[in-house]
Amino acid sequence: MNHCDYQKAAEHWDKIDAKSVAMPEEKLKQAIEDYIQKNNTCALATGVGDFIRCTPTEYAYHDGAFFLFSEGGKKFIGLEKNKGVSLAIFDKYEGFDHPLFGLQMSGIAEVVEPFSPAYVAEAASKKIPLEALKKLPEPIHLIKVTPIRFDFLDSDLKKEGYSSRQHLIIQH
């Protein structure tokens, strides 16, 4: 492929999305929220320069943000220098004749200070005993991801007259 071929492939959905039928924003927000709450595992992509990492991890979602506890790992190479991340949640593909669901999210990550009020509150919500965390030789890290854009896929939306691909930009 040459540059023009890559560009054409990259723009494929832009043309289709320009003609798509969008859901009302509040209805889309609720559909996205429902899908996020229905699941608890995502793939978190981080990177900087030539380094990229995609990590499957458990999440909690509340107050408009994702919270991910992590013992550490290569994802922190990207997090140190690039706060921009991507997160994906998706259902198993069952075949062409089955509904398709997935969510891609772009957002800004921050590492929450261990044992800060936000950290303590998140540990409590996950029922992680604070005393157990304090006894560990290294603290468990808490990553907070604030979404800035959602790209939602729900093939069942066609039944309601909407396009199966929906997009939501979050204003902060």
Side-chain angles (χ1 to χ4, degrees):
M1 285 178 62
N2 63 35
H3 174 72
C4 290
D5 293 332
Y6 279 104
Q7 207 55 36
K8 185 177 178 183
E11 294 169 356
H12 172 80
W13 287 107
D14 295 342
K15 295 173 191 169
I16 295 169
D17 288 343
K19 297 182 241 172
S20 71
V21 179
M23 290 177 77
E25 188 171 310
E26 287 307 311
K27 189 171 183 174
L28 176 57
K29 283 180 182 177
Q30 188 60 56
I32 290 171
E33 174 86 18
D34 291 348
Y35 186 71
I36 292 169
Q37 295 298 344
K38 184 178 102 172
N39 292 280
N40 70 350
T41 307
C42 68
L44 174 68
T46 62
V48 62
D50 289 340
F51 176 81
I52 55 172
R53 184 71 172 182
C54 187
T55 306
T57 187
E58 180 188 5
Y59 67 83
Y61 181 82
H62 54 83
D63 302 321
F66 291 87
F67 295 87
L68 310 100
F69 276 105
S70 173
E71 293 175 285
K74 300 292 185 199
K75 66 188 149 291
F76 285 89
I77 293 170
L79 288 172
E80 178 187 15
K81 297 183 175 124
N82 181 3
K83 302 303 179 205
V85 299
S86 184
L87 186 146
I89 305 166
F90 46 91
D91 288 7
K92 179 180 177 182
Y93 180 69
E94 299 282 348
F96 216 65
D97 56 341
H98 292 274
L100 189 58
F101 301 95
L103 180 70
Q104 292 173 289
M105 187 278 308
S106 300
I108 304 300
E110 64 182 277
V111 179
V112 177
E113 185 66 33
F115 308 108
S116 66
Y119 183 98
V120 170
E122 195 59 31
S125 76
K126 299 288 285 178
K127 297 181 175 48
I128 302 172
L130 200 55
E131 291 310 313
L133 289 172
K134 288 181 178 178
K135 289 179 183 175
L136 295 173
E138 305 260 339
I140 300 284
H141 306 283
L142 177 60
I143 304 164
K144 177 183 178 184
V145 179
T146 304
I148 56 176
R149 178 185 171 103
F150 289 106
D151 297 298
F152 184 52
L153 174 64
D154 177 349
S155 60
D156 283 344
L157 292 176
K158 291 179 188 176
K159 296 174 188 171
E160 299 178 47
Y162 304 116
S163 297
S164 59
R165 289 170 37 90
Q166 298 289 320
H167 309 284
L168 179 64
I169 297 174
I170 307 297
Q171 306 295 327
H172 295 282

